[in-house]
Amino acid sequence: MNFLLLQALTGLAAASSLFLVSAGLTVIFGVTRVVNFAHGSLYLLGAYIGWSILTRLPTDPGWFVLGILLAGAATALLGLVLETTLLRRIYRAPELLQLLATFGVVLMVQDIALKIWGAQDLALPRPRWLRASVILLGERFPQFDLALIAIGPLVLLLLWLLFTRTRWGTLVRAATQDRDMVAALGVDQRMLFTSVFALGAALAGIGGALALPDGSANLQMDLSIITDAFVVVVVGGLGSLPGAFLASLLIGLLQAFGIVLIPGATSILVFAVMAVVLVLRPHGLLGRAQPVSRAEAPPSVVRAAPASLRWAGVAALALAIAAPLVVGPFALSVLTEMAVAVLFAASLHFMMGPGGMPSFGHAAWFGIGAYTAALAAKSLALPMPAGMLLAPIVAGTVALLFGWFVVRLSGVYLAMLTLAFAQIVWAVAFQSTGLTGGDNGVLGVWPAAWAADPRVFYWLALAVCLGATLALRRVLGSPFGYALRATRDSPLRAAAIGLDDGAIRLAAFAVAGACAGLSGGIAAYSKGSVFPSFIAIGHSVDALLMVLLGGVGTLAGPVIGALAYTGLYDALLLATDLWRFALGAIIVVLVLAFPDGIAGTAQRLWLRGREA
Amino acid sequence: MLEVEDLHAHYGRAHILQGVSFAIAAGEVLVLIGRNGAGKTTTMKSLIGLVRPTSGAIRFAGADIAGAETYRIARAGLGYVPEERRIFTDLTVMQNLEVGKRPARAGRDPWTPRQLFTLFPNLGEMPTRPGGRMSGGEQQMLAIARTLMGNPSLVLLDEPSEGLAPVIVEQMARAILALKREGVTVLLAEQNLHFAARVADRAAVIETGRIVWTGGIAQLASEAGRYLGV
């Protein structure tokens, strides 16, 4: 009994911290409609800046509170800079580009933090009052955690007062619903957005600084908190503060008890709860359908490639086939990686562009394919072709089952559910050490003897990946492809002309999963080993970057994006130890300069040239 | 007070406004009359800055406001009541008014909620009701009242009579006439000729993005019949 109580209190303390961060995220989303990936970076900066401030201040409680508030003020200032330099320019951009740009910021901040504070985890010296505990039902419970428990509801109350009792709050709530109307009433939305962003950033920073006493400032905290905060915000309902509070409690308690009930599998529990909530209430616990804030038509894929582009493609293919005769082993491995990346990106583009289903967890299918191929080789001792065949079949089947949940949702909610599923797959791969080797991965997955020569294997990978990519392209031009686009552009009208919206989306989802699985199967044999990192968020983001870099609205986009991204990534990795910063900066610049992606921009310029 | 000269606007590649020109004198009620798709709403949105005109000039109170930012245009004294009303459904009547509130124009008394409740008695009965739980007519009244809280010198009213019961339409007409007495200039977009005739001084007929006829409201019925197809 006592134990349950203590565990519950621990959960509540965690819920408070989680709420601080999620409240900032949800407030920013509510007004600006930007899903801010960089919110985790502000949390991380809050922790590091908090550490720098607190280690220089006297250790009394009063100074501690001041230090925390100063850290919040510092991140508010950073948020201000971020909003005015970057976010302000992309408010009208498509959702996923905003996500991409803010992810660029995440990468940059990681390297900046590494340069300033170093790679070591920074813990706060704990003075006596921080270590003090109270006796509850005969058990010791940290006093600081009790204070944390109180902070959550307190912040909720303050925010509630701010949003309901002040003119500023009323304006923010009005802008959350209809920014243009607010502007037409003479309100300067830019000031409003900037101040909201600064407030959200301050909350993230305070949350980060408050995480110091029970933990440390470290370089992994940005992505770990942003995943949790996304879950909270999505479960609570995007833009809803009470929803975020409720969801924080739910997730905090789940994590606290999950550690006891199923040790090591708490993330499965959390994401499973999220999946259940989203299936029952597609807009979260207290959320509502979001008004469509953009009127622009979605990108359409209708044009056949111009003859010149076809010839360029044929020339590139000829080069790709001839390449192994001239290049060295390293370049060959990069080329193989590129072939795999092209299919991986094309499969994501298939569901995301024409299908209108942005996935945040596309690496799940890649990983399932890779593990299927690897385990087929290692555990079942199947020959390589069988493994490569099983990879798409298994990934496609799982996608078909899971897709049943996914295709009911849309937009950010859909992206988050796919993220949740990928995290579950990742956790399974990571924790089933008996089958998958856990973090050590599955090693020694070598190609069959006839394909052991890297050149032969490269040709095989090229043939399979390009073949599948071209097949996807062919499907998009078929009646099914047109039906898919119809369901994307107007589900109602599509249904009215007799298209089975759900079944079409589900089929597209399964096809995308199968193709990603195939690319994973080839990657398994090409690398010779499979690791949980194949399924990690970072890898899903890689796929998104490739597609968005190339441009969602063109058929050549994912191919160009995959080549550009893989090339860029490998080149940066070789050129500089600040490759994250460089990659992040390049992403940000690309989003600002080419909001349609590389291929989209090229297409626009080409069309403009033709019309002139 | 407002002069629009050769205004062009596009939605994507569609050329909606193809050279709109007209002028309104201070204190006047001008009705912009035309069929669906003629360009009434686009004209209004171009004036308030929600649609960026491709070319042309909009002179308001001595400055060219074409392409300026929406909030600056609004602060210069242009009020906009959209066709869809766009009430903040989560906010109460009073809070909706609060969002619209701006300082008074020099030499004029500001609108207060109390005065607006005299103008629209229905609103006075439900100051704490959320906008989402009001009828269409009540929302239309609130949309006008909210815009008036900004003390505009010129109000753009986009089809205020659309979809309303005759009793409410009559209330709208009385409200517009009351505005006129207060010295507020009004640009009205309408398809309802009777309503227009009841409140407007002059009419401008818009057809496929151009003003094809301008004149006194009394002449409209006789002379503009061929344009309107009535």
Side-chain angles (χ1 to χ4, degrees), chain A residues 88 168 188-197, chain B residues 71 75:
Chain A
R88 171 174 294 184
W168 182 84
D188 182 358
Q189 327 173 53
R190 277 195 304 192
M191 289 294 293
L192 207 58
F193 283 22
T194 308
S195 53
V196 165
F197 199 87
Chain B
Y71 81 92
R75 286 182 182 184

Side-chain angles (χ1 to χ4, degrees), chain A residues 397-472:
Chain A
T397 310
V398 178
L400 199 62
L401 295 175
F402 173 66
W404 185 82
F405 296 97
V406 173
V407 297
R408 296 146 186 265
L409 304 177
S410 60
V412 184
Y413 286 96
L414 188 148
M416 291 300 131
L417 187 61
T418 48
L419 171 72
F421 181 74
Q423 286 302 99
I424 294 175
V425 176
W426 177 83
V428 170
F430 192 78
Q431 285 156 358
S432 317
T433 35
L435 186 64
T436 64
D439 206 16
N440 296 325
V442 184
L443 304 178
V445 187
W446 299 119
W450 58 269
D453 182 343
R455 286 183 298 182
V456 175
F457 188 83
Y458 164 73
W459 279 318
L460 176 72
L462 188 69
V464 173
C465 291
L466 281 194
T469 305
L470 289 174
L472 281 178

Side-chain angles (χ1 to χ4, degrees), chain B residues 31-188:
Chain B
V31 61
L32 198 59
I33 204 153
R35 296 178 207 190
N36 278 337
K40 299 186 296 294
T41 297
T42 308
T43 304
M44 297 229 159
K45 286 192 171 171
S46 303
L47 294 180
I48 191 66
L50 289 177
V51 167
R52 196 163 282 262
T54 7
S55 67
I58 305 170
R59 272 182 295 279
F60 175 64
D64 187 355
I65 56 165
E69 278 181 272
T70 300
Y71 81 92
R72 289 191 189 279
I73 298 176
R75 286 182 182 184
L78 207 64
Y80 170 59
V81 183
E83 189 179 359
E84 322 87 299
R85 294 151 199 161
R86 293 166 84 162
I87 289 302
F88 304 117
T89 47
D90 288 349
L91 305 187
T92 64
V93 167
M94 284 305 283
Q95 287 170 334
N96 266 283
L97 295 181
E98 169 73 25
V99 176
K101 189 173 160 190
R102 309 268 348 143
R105 224 140 277 292
R108 291 196 158 272
D109 290 334
W111 286 94
T112 60
R114 183 203 287 257
Q115 286 171 306
L116 291 166
F117 291 160
T118 324
L119 195 60
F120 301 110
N122 301 38
L123 295 183
E125 291 164 17
M126 50 181 84
T128 57
R129 179 168 305 180
R133 294 203 289 115
M134 298 168 75
S135 72
E138 289 158 356
Q139 288 195 347
Q140 183 66 58
M141 293 176 200
L142 179 56
I144 297 176
R146 181 180 64 180
T147 297
L148 290 178
M149 284 296 285
N151 301 301
S153 48
L154 168 64
V155 177
L156 312 174
L157 280 176
D158 197 352
E159 302 212 24
S161 75
E162 195 195 19
L164 299 183
V167 192
I168 311 282
V169 173
E170 179 52 32
Q171 269 199 37
M172 285 297 150
R174 280 204 297 271
I176 293 172
L177 292 172
L179 287 189
K180 197 183 158 184
R181 280 195 300 279
E182 295 283 335
V184 178
T185 315
V186 177
L187 174 62
L188 183 69

Side-chain angles (χ1 to χ4, degrees), chain A residues 510-546:
Chain A
V511 168
C515 287
L518 179 60
S519 68
I522 292 169
Y525 278 103
S526 120
K527 291 191 193 299
S529 46
V530 175
F531 301 103
S533 66
F534 280 30
I535 315 170
I537 297 179
H539 197 223
S540 291
V541 170
D542 286 345
L544 273 173
L545 286 176
M546 291 176 205

